[in-house]
Amino acid sequence: MDDRTMRAVLFDRFGGPEVLYVGRVPRPEPAPGEALVRVRAFSVNGGELAARSGRLRLFTGQRFPQRVGLDFTGEVAALGAGATGVAVGDRVWGVVGRTAFGSAAEYVTVRAGRLGRVPDGLDLVAAAALPVATTAVTALRDKARLRPGERLLVRGAAGGVGNAAVQLGRAYGAEVTALARAANLNFVRTLGAHHAIDHRSVPPGELGLFDVVLDTAGTDLRAFRRLLAPGGRMVTIAFDLARPAASLGYIAASAVHGRGRVRFFSGDPGRALLDELAARVAEGVLRPAVDRCFPLEETAAAHRALEAGGVRGKYVVRVD
């Protein structure tokens, strides 16, 4: 096989998981300051589903073929001129960029400063469930400034960011309430949740008050904002894709109207944040949660599974 090309997951039109296929594209070369990473695994994220379906076409454009894959683990295969902080052969993890995709492939290039070293002893396939956990670190530590003894509500607690937030919230000393499907309540308890509640059986208004609310869904923000105690903070990592203008408008208006600003951000980790993640893993307070692992050729099945709901942690795709 021509070593100037590689396998990658592509799609030629917007649509459901069935539009995904494995094709061949040129193998990238690292530019100055970049590293070429041999990808071993990546996880499936909600933003990719939205991009593939066309709901993010204002950001992704309409030129095809397009790519999927946001995060990754692997080994550094080559370095561009001036790239520092990592060496060829290092086991690394990272995210290609806030609005970029393309890690669903045999190789990916990324700025060297966006790579962190995977902790020793952590399998690279399992480790692919964790780069998204940097979003939980930023949300709780930096945006909400969660303090020991505070009451934390995690919405979507069984998902990729949510399961990490439950683990980190417990490690930060908070009293953690996890919202999840009934079938996943035992799972979030094993992560460290003090209270696990079926989000379908208990309406938001009956949940009580919280010092910090972390939302991973982006819908019904008004209802969950009402749960903030005096001095409470709400952080969301999503907005309502069915009503994007109204949803983002509400988030913006929350800074000046009503009780408690809704802080919105999109994760974009660099080396410092990835190293913080590695430290939490080394301490034993954060562990990867892999629901199921798929081969590269079944990436469409992984997308389909995530769309069906009910994931416990992350769906990971293995690149052999």
Side-chain angles (χ1 to χ4, degrees), residues 6-320:
M6 65 176 185
R7 293 182 302 156
V9 181
L10 311 168
F11 60 99
D12 295 328
R13 68 185 191 279
F14 296 124
E18 68 278 359
V19 304
L20 298 177
Y21 66 94
V22 177
R24 297 201 72 86
V25 299
R27 174 176 159 175
E29 295 292 335
E34 288 186 340
L36 175 70
V37 177
R38 170 67 167 95
V39 178
R40 296 300 179 186
F42 60 90
S43 75
V44 180
N45 297 279
E48 299 170 72
L49 308 187
R52 188 212 66 229
S53 68
R55 287 177 290 172
L56 296 180
R57 68 185 69 193
L58 290 177
F59 304 100
T60 63
Q62 300 190 60
R63 295 183 62 182
F64 297 100
Q66 292 192 22
R67 305 271 296 274
V68 295
L70 180 64
D71 52 32
F72 58 88
T73 61
E75 298 101 5
V76 177
L79 293 172
T84 61
V86 292
V88 172
D90 281 353
R91 295 170 5 113
V92 295
W93 52 13
V95 175
V96 293
R98 180 180 283 116
T99 58
F101 299 101
S103 67
E106 291 179 310
Y107 292 88
V108 66
T109 53
V110 63
R111 297 291 298 178
R114 297 180 63 86
L115 294 174
R117 289 185 179 86
V118 175
D120 292 340
L122 184 59
D123 175 75
L124 285 177
V125 175
L130 282 174
V132 72
T134 56
T135 299
V137 174
T138 300
L140 299 181
R141 184 193 66 182
D142 303 331
K143 300 296 183 179
R145 299 187 181 276
L146 181 67
R147 297 185 293 268
E150 289 193 314
R151 296 160 294 177
L152 167 66
L153 176 68
V154 179
R155 185 182 181 205
V161 175
N163 90 84
V166 171
Q167 296 181 69
L168 291 167
R170 180 75 181 237
Y172 293 156
E175 180 182 345
V176 182
T177 298
L179 287 183
R181 293 188 177 196
N184 290 341
L185 296 184
N186 284 337
F187 169 67
V188 296
R189 290 189 186 100
T190 67
L191 299 174
H194 296 86
H195 315 285
I197 299 175
D198 177 7
H199 72 94
R200 292 178 172 177
S201 63
V202 180
E206 297 179 11
L207 294 172
L209 296 180
F210 299 88
D211 302 295
V212 173
V213 173
L214 174 58
D215 169 74
T216 68
T219 57
D220 300 321
L221 296 181
R222 192 183 306 272
F224 284 92
R225 186 185 176 200
R226 295 192 185 104
L227 306 184
L228 292 177
R233 293 86 69 200
M234 181 171 174
V235 180
T236 183
I237 62 168
F239 58 89
D240 190 345
L241 290 171
R243 304 169 57 249
S247 181
L248 290 170
Y250 177 74
I251 292 170
S254 73
V256 292
H257 296 291
R259 184 179 68 190
R261 173 188 171 193
V262 180
R263 296 161 175 85
F264 169 73
F265 77 101
S266 175
D268 192 27
R271 180 173 298 149
L273 193 52
L274 290 163
D275 288 348
E276 171 74 12
L277 184 69
R280 301 288 80 78
V281 173
E283 291 171 358
V285 302
L286 180 64
R287 65 182 189 273
V290 178
D291 187 311
R292 183 178 170 191
C293 186
F294 297 79
L296 184 68
E297 291 76 13
E298 295 182 16
T299 300
H303 275 232
R304 192 171 293 111
L306 187 60
E307 286 186 338
V311 63
R312 297 182 181 184
K314 296 287 287 182
Y315 292 121
V316 169
V317 178
R318 183 182 69 252
V319 183
D320 292 324

